[in-house]
Structure formats: C-alpha cells, structure tokens
C-alpha cells in the first residue's frame, strides 16, 4: 500500500527548485486548459453554422453558470462573470483531472537504500494545500478589488479602519480578521474535501480490489463538482456583500 | 477612487446563497480561532512568555468567530 502524505511528494530538483508531483500535474493540466480556452475563443470568433459541437457544449455550461449566479449578483454580474467562470472551470477540471486513471496509480521509486520511497508520478493539483491557498488568496484579493471598485476606496476602507469611536475601531480589526478567515476557510475546505476523496479512493481500492471503488468514484465526481460550485458561489456572495454599503 | 454606479437589485432569497453559506459555515467559524492560536503561539515563541499571548489571542479569536457568525446571521435575515 502506498504511503499517504499530506504534502505533495517531491520528484526531483531543478537547479535547487523542488519539483513536486502536483506541480507536474498542474503543468500538464494548464496546457490542456489553455488549449481548450483558446479553442473556445477561436470558435466564438467564427460565424454561426461553422461552430463545433464542443463549442456549443462549453457555451451551454457557461450560460447555465451565468443564469445560476446572476440572482446573487444582480447587475454586477456583467463585470464579475469572467473571473467567476474562470474560477469555476479551473477548479472543476482540476478536481476531475485528479480522478483520471493514471493520476495517482503510476508510481516511481525514488531514493536509494533505506530512504527508498514509492511516489505517484501525478497527483491531483487541488490535493496540494499550496494550490488551494493560492486560489483562496486570489479570490479574497479579488473580493477586495471589487469592493473598492463598487464602493470607492474611501467608503470601502472605512469598513476596516474607523477611528470614530473605540467600538468601531475594534469592529474594524474584527473585519480584517474576518477577511483572513475567508482565505483559510476557502483553501482548507477545498483541500480537505478533495484530499479526503483521494485517500478514500486509495483505501477502498486496497480493501476490496474489484469494482468496490466505483460508487466512490461517482461520489468523488459529485464532490468535485459541488466544491467547485461552492467556491464560485461563495466568491459571488462575498463580492456581493463587499460591494454593498454597510452601516 | 469613486465607486461605480450600478443597480443594486440582488435577490436575497436565492436558495443557493444559503446552501453555499452552510457548506462554508464550519470552516468560516473556526478559521479566526485558528488564526488567533497561530498568532499567539508565534508571539509566545518570540517573547518567551508562554502561555500568556496564546490565551489572549484565543480569546480574541473566539470574539472574531462570533463576529463572523453575527455577520452571516445579519446577511441571511
């Protein structure tokens, strides 16, 4: 049975820079993701009737997501949707990429002697805390950006720094902590759910070798979808509340 | 910087808001506490006054957790 480690396993060093297996996976994934994105962009520039079925499928998913999120954001949606859509597709496809056959099951033997380790060559990118932390920080920064954009910098920053009376000063500090807790909750929820799924699949596959992991695989596809959706929805909800004037 | 003019009509009764908030609730409420504990431990390590800073920041984290709860309740009402 492979050793389960919470941190991503280092594969090799490139001029002192540690290359982990999640980094390799994310590089492969990003190439594919950019390929699909450029394909969609090129198809959108063509005339009607010349577009492919894949284009219409992606377009349909985009439209569904737009209609799904627009009750939350109202007319702010037009500005925010490119970011939210990119976030949704990025997280969703990364979650699903980790479930593909070969990801996690192709192993390498690294090291010599007593330090010999069995390490998977590829590992789903959202099972690395670095990735989800980056996504969380990025989402929270964007929430601040849209807060300033919609309310104006003076109005928005008054939420955090208010020297009117001692109570509102303290509430401002609590607001700052609340923003940081958004980063933590975003990143740990995504990481926890996806990593737990990977561990579950591994354990089930070693308990009962034949067919038992199939329902869990379907569960993981569902969890990956739900987590991507929750991440996007929460970002939308927080952007909306950041753009609303507080009293 | 001036704020953008926009039409502030968003539907507060959308069920997805509540679904997403409830998926996040556990992590969102615990996170300030964790931040408080980490800051407290770090300060204790620097100043060598175990466990005074940790206790102060645990208290602070608890208050911040309740503030987050208050914010969610206010928003969803």
């Amino acid at each position: 049975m492979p050793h389960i480690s919470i941190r991503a396993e280092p594969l090799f060093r490139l001029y002192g820079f540690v290359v982990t297996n999640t980094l390799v996976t994310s590089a492969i994934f990003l190439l594919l993701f950019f390929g699909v994105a450029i394909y969609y962009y090129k198809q959108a520039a063509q005339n009607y009737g010349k577009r492919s079925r894949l284009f219409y499928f992606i377009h349909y998913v985009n439209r569904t997501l737009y209609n799904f999120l627009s009750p939350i954001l109202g007319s702010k949606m037009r500005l925010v949707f490119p970011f939210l859509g990119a976030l949704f597709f990025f997280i969703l496809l990364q979650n699903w990429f980790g479930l593909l056959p070969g990801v996690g099951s192709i192993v390498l033997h690294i090291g010599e002697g007593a330090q010999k380790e069995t390490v998977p060559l590829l590992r789903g990118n959202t099972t690395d805390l670095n990735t989800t932390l980056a996504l969380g920080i990025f989402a929270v920064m964007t929430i601040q950006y849209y807060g300033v954009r919609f309310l104006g910098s003076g109005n928005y920053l008054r939420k955090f720094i208010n020297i009117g009376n001692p109570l509102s000063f303290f509430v401002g500090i609590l607001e700052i902590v609340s923003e940081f807790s958004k980063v933590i909750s975003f990143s740990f929820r995504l990481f926890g759910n996806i990593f737990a799924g990977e561990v579950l699949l591994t354990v089930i596959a070693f308990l009962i070798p034949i067919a038992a992991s199939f329902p869990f695989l379907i569960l993981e596809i569902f969890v990956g979808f739900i987590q991507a959706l929750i991440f996007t929805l929460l970002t939308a909800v927080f952007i909306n509340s950041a753009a609303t004037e507080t009293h | 910087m001036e704020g953008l003019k926009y039409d502030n009509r968003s539907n507060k009764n959308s069920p997805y808001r509540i679904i997403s908030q409830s998926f996040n609730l556990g992590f969102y409420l615990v996170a300030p506490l964790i931040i408080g504990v980490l800051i407290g431990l770090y300060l204790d390590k620097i100043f060598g006054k175990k466990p005074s800073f940790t206790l102060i920041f645990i208290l602070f984290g608890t208050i911040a957790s309740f503030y987050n709860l208050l914010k969610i309740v206010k928003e969803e009402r």
Side-chain angles (χ1 to χ4, degrees):
Chain A
M1 187 161 168
H3 176 69
I4 292 167
S5 86
I6 290 179
R7 71 191 184 96
E9 295 94 338
L11 289 180
F12 56 90
R13 282 172 175 276
L14 200 71
Y15 304 112
F17 180 76
V18 181
V19 178
T20 56
N21 46 10
T22 51
L23 193 65
V24 174
T25 317
S26 72
I28 296 169
F29 170 77
L30 275 179
L31 285 178
L32 292 174
F33 191 68
F34 275 128
V36 173
I38 289 166
Y39 174 78
Y40 179 75
Y41 181 74
K42 286 240 167 96
Q43 287 279 317
Q46 280 187 358
N47 291 326
Y48 286 102
K50 283 187 175 177
R51 296 168 180 172
S52 67
R53 286 188 181 175
L54 180 62
F55 168 81
Y56 281 113
F57 177 69
I58 301 172
H59 204 62
Y60 164 74
V61 179
N62 256 330
R63 275 184 91 104
T64 317
L65 190 67
Y66 190 95
N67 292 335
F68 186 76
L69 290 173
S70 51
I72 293 170
L73 281 164
S75 65
K76 294 188 275 299
M77 193 64 188
R78 270 188 314 127
L79 262 175
V80 186
F81 184 70
F83 168 66
L84 290 180
L87 203 61
F88 175 75
F89 279 107
F90 189 71
I91 297 171
L92 176 74
L93 294 178
Q94 264 188 346
N95 289 347
W96 284 356
F97 196 83
L99 299 175
L100 287 179
V103 180
S105 49
I106 301 172
V107 290
L108 292 178
H109 298 285
I110 286 179
E112 282 143 20
Q115 291 178 331
K116 196 162 183 174
E117 277 184 294
T118 310
V119 166
L121 174 64
L122 299 173
R123 171 172 160 164
N125 199 15
T126 35
T127 59
D128 188 350
L129 191 55
N130 291 317
T131 311
T132 56
L133 204 58
L135 282 170
I137 290 170
F138 182 55
V140 172
M141 297 284 262
T142 316
I143 292 166
Q144 312 310 317
Y145 169 74
Y146 280 114
V148 172
R149 187 88 192 272
F150 283 119
L151 286 183
S153 53
N155 266 342
Y156 186 68
L157 289 180
R158 201 169 300 143
K159 197 166 94 177
F160 300 112
I161 303 160
N162 197 340
I163 340 175
N165 58 37
L167 187 67
S168 54
F169 179 72
F170 191 66
V171 167
I173 295 174
L174 289 182
E175 280 286 345
I176 294 171
V177 174
S178 174
E179 294 303 316
F180 279 104
S181 73
K182 274 175 199 166
V183 176
I184 302 274
S185 71
F186 268 134
S187 52
F188 276 85
R189 184 174 29 77
L190 185 60
F191 166 72
N193 277 287
I194 305 303
F195 182 68
E198 295 273 309
V199 172
L200 177 72
L201 282 179
T202 314
V203 169
I204 291 295
F206 278 87
L207 280 178
I208 310 165
I210 301 166
S213 55
F214 185 63
F216 293 99
L217 202 58
I218 293 174
L219 177 77
E220 283 319 308
I221 290 174
F222 180 66
V223 168
F225 172 71
I226 284 288
Q227 286 307 318
L229 197 62
I230 294 293
F231 202 104
T232 320
L233 265 171
L234 272 174
T235 316
V237 168
F238 285 142
I239 285 174
N240 187 46
S241 60
T244 315
E245 204 126 5
T246 47
H247 301 287
Chain B
M1 196 169 143
E2 280 291 299
L4 277 181
K5 292 276 179 292
Y6 66 94
D7 176 21
N8 196 15
R9 265 183 309 176
S10 56
N11 185 8
K12 285 233 160 186
N13 296 323
S14 165
Y16 308 119
R17 280 176 66 97
I18 296 157
I19 292 171
S20 63
Q21 285 284 21
S22 33
F23 262 94
N24 196 37
L25 194 64
F27 290 92
Y28 192 47
L29 293 187
V30 171
L33 203 55
I34 295 171
I35 293 173
V37 171
L38 290 182
I39 292 174
L41 285 176
Y42 181 69
L43 287 181
D44 273 342
K45 212 173 169 186
I46 288 179
F47 296 110
K49 288 197 173 173
K50 223 169 185 175
S52 48
F53 278 113
T54 313
L55 287 175
I56 293 168
F57 276 94
I58 283 176
L59 188 68
F60 179 71
T62 315
I63 296 170
S65 287
F66 276 101
Y67 181 71
N68 274 359
L69 182 64
L70 186 76
K71 253 175 52 170
I72 290 173
V73 172
K74 255 187 179 171
E75 247 169 54
E76 298 301 332
R77 200 170 50 186

